[in-house]
Amino acid sequence: MSRTRLQTKLSDKTPVGSVLFAPDGCSLVISCKVNLHFLDATTGVHVRLLETGHTRSIEQIAFAPNGQQLATASCDMTARLWDVATLECTVVLHGHEEVVSCVAYSIDGFLVATGSLDATVRLWRAADGRPMCSARP
């Protein structure tokens, strides 16, 4: 979108929770409440909508380094992993006792880290959501 305006109107007064470019730079993902909007990053055209199944707002989104998986962190105390090609939820990560406020992938994409208002950080295997460890900073 160099020197062009983002012309997509998501909906009136819908708060934006998080925004993230795909690793290839071609797509922009925007979280609005419990939904994800996929936009063409060059034109700003709305391409896809994902109704995530989260029951409370999405706090953060993250792409795996290869761009094939996406993670969402939510106020519903879960994180979810998504297959980007099919937009299917592959894993729901349960274990936090408060809002999951942040999510990130390891540089090799093997692990997903989640942070929560319960003062814990949890590591999960990205392939299947298996819990790896939990810590309090």
Side-chain angles (χ1 to χ4, degrees):
M1 289 185 303
S2 62
R3 299 179 191 237
T4 63
R5 297 171 68 196
L6 180 62
Q7 307 254 340
T8 300
K9 185 175 180 182
L10 300 173
S11 87
D12 289 330
K13 299 181 183 177
T14 300
V16 172
S18 188
V19 61
L20 181 67
F21 280 98
D24 65 6
C26 294
S27 298
L28 184 67
V29 182
I30 301 168
S31 69
C32 295
K33 295 186 179 178
V34 298
N35 297 321
L36 295 180
H37 298 268
F38 291 78
L39 280 62
D40 181 297
T42 305
T43 65
V45 171
H46 193 274
V47 179
R48 300 191 284 184
L49 169 68
L50 173 59
E51 296 175 351
T52 66
H54 280 295
T55 58
R56 295 185 60 204
S57 295
I58 295 168
E59 290 290 293
Q60 191 175 31
I61 48 182
F63 269 103
N66 65 10
Q68 295 176 1
Q69 193 177 56
L70 180 75
T72 53
S74 173
C75 292
D76 67 8
M77 300 187 294
T78 69
R80 294 176 186 236
L81 305 181
W82 304 89
D83 180 298
V84 172
T86 64
L87 294 185
E88 289 187 33
C89 180
T90 57
V91 178
V92 179
L93 305 175
H94 295 278
H96 287 291
E97 297 173 1
E98 292 289 339
V99 167
V100 181
S101 56
C102 51
V103 63
Y105 280 87
S106 60
I107 196 142
D108 62 3
F110 182 75
L111 295 174
V112 174
T114 55
S116 171
L117 298 184
D118 66 9
T120 63
V121 173
R122 294 179 182 267
L123 296 181
W124 316 81
R125 197 162 60 185
D128 58 10
R130 179 176 167 220
M132 302 301 286
C133 67
S134 177
R136 291 189 186 275

